[in-house]
Amino acid sequence: MSLNDDDKAVISGFWGKASSRAAEIGADALGRMLVVYPQTKTYFDHWKDKSPSSHNVRKHGKKIMDAIGDAITLMGDLNNALLELSQLHAFTLRVDPSNFKMLSHNILVVMANYFPDDFTPDVHLAMDKFLAAVARALSERYR
Amino acid sequence: MVEWTEQERDIINSIFSSLDYEDIGPKALSRCLIVYPWTQRYFGGFGNLYNANAIKSNPMIAAHGIRVLHGLDRAVKNMDNIKATYAELSVLHSEKLHVDPDNFKLLADCLTIVIAAKLGSAFTPEVQATFQKFVAVVVSALGRQYH
């Protein structure tokens, strides 16, 4: 299930259109995850307000999506590109890897919601593979 | 026993009463076969599934997508007893169709994404949560008679 050249071209093409809304996409995806999968709120006990429109969710969602945008430019070597973030998630954040799937799902939902004509099945397939590859790279240092 | 609030019932009824089955059904099923190609294993007799365009224009897949989507109607009409409502269909999927129940979730995710694309700003986080709860209950009911 690794990314082939077609996937990479499709991803770059779609991101070319979507990247200008990266902050919005990230915030919306994170906000939706906290609502649709309430168990994920356990990682954010330090935030009083976890609603989709809250300052924390918007700021953190942007941070996540900016990192994903960077990963798109470096998708030739995700393990190296995400080495530091993997260490962060493994040793400091200790996010159970099952949560990556939940956030990825919501990123895909937001992309479909914002770009209904561009988020074709081919784009969906490539982005799903990419986000899974990101999740694998982020879990690399876990054990 | 699954509890539904009045708001959740309204959301589900609203989505399904304005749903274009002929549009959404084919889109959801074809997307599933494209994004998760191993699901094509159940459609050996459905003709050309060679690439995304073939799948998207395949009339047998389109017809089947409409049929599957209408299968959700019985859950909408029996929200307080989805488990019993799907007992027969669960046996069918297990004993006759031999569908791996993990696949139900894949189709449910594709349907969620197609609905997200269709509803735009009306697909709020709360609507999404309710819709996902609904399909999760259906998915669970469909897997219940497997042994």
Side-chain angles (χ1 to χ4, degrees), chain A residues 28-116:
Chain A
D28 201 345
L30 181 64
R32 281 172 190 273
M33 184 188 77
L34 296 169
V35 169
V36 179
Y37 303 96
Q39 66 269 35
T40 58
K41 289 192 289 187
T42 55
Y43 290 96
F44 300 99
D45 279 337
H46 52 290
W47 293 349
K48 226 170 121 197
D49 186 354
K50 294 186 261 285
S51 63
S53 55
S54 67
H55 170 76
N56 280 322
V57 170
R58 282 187 288 115
K59 186 171 161 208
H60 199 65
K62 170 178 168 22
K63 191 172 178 180
I64 293 173
M65 210 62 207
D66 283 346
I68 290 177
D70 289 342
I72 288 177
T73 61
L74 296 163
M75 60 181 153
D77 188 358
L78 283 174
N79 278 350
N80 267 323
L82 295 171
L83 182 62
E84 263 180 57
L85 276 173
S86 182
Q87 284 169 333
L88 177 74
H89 283 76
F91 304 120
T92 308
L93 302 178
R94 301 208 186 135
V95 175
D96 190 295
S98 59
N99 291 277
F100 298 145
K101 277 202 190 119
M102 291 186 255
L103 181 59
S104 296
H105 169 74
N106 281 291
I107 290 172
L108 297 174
V109 165
V110 171
M111 285 178 170
N113 189 251
Y114 287 13
F115 304 98

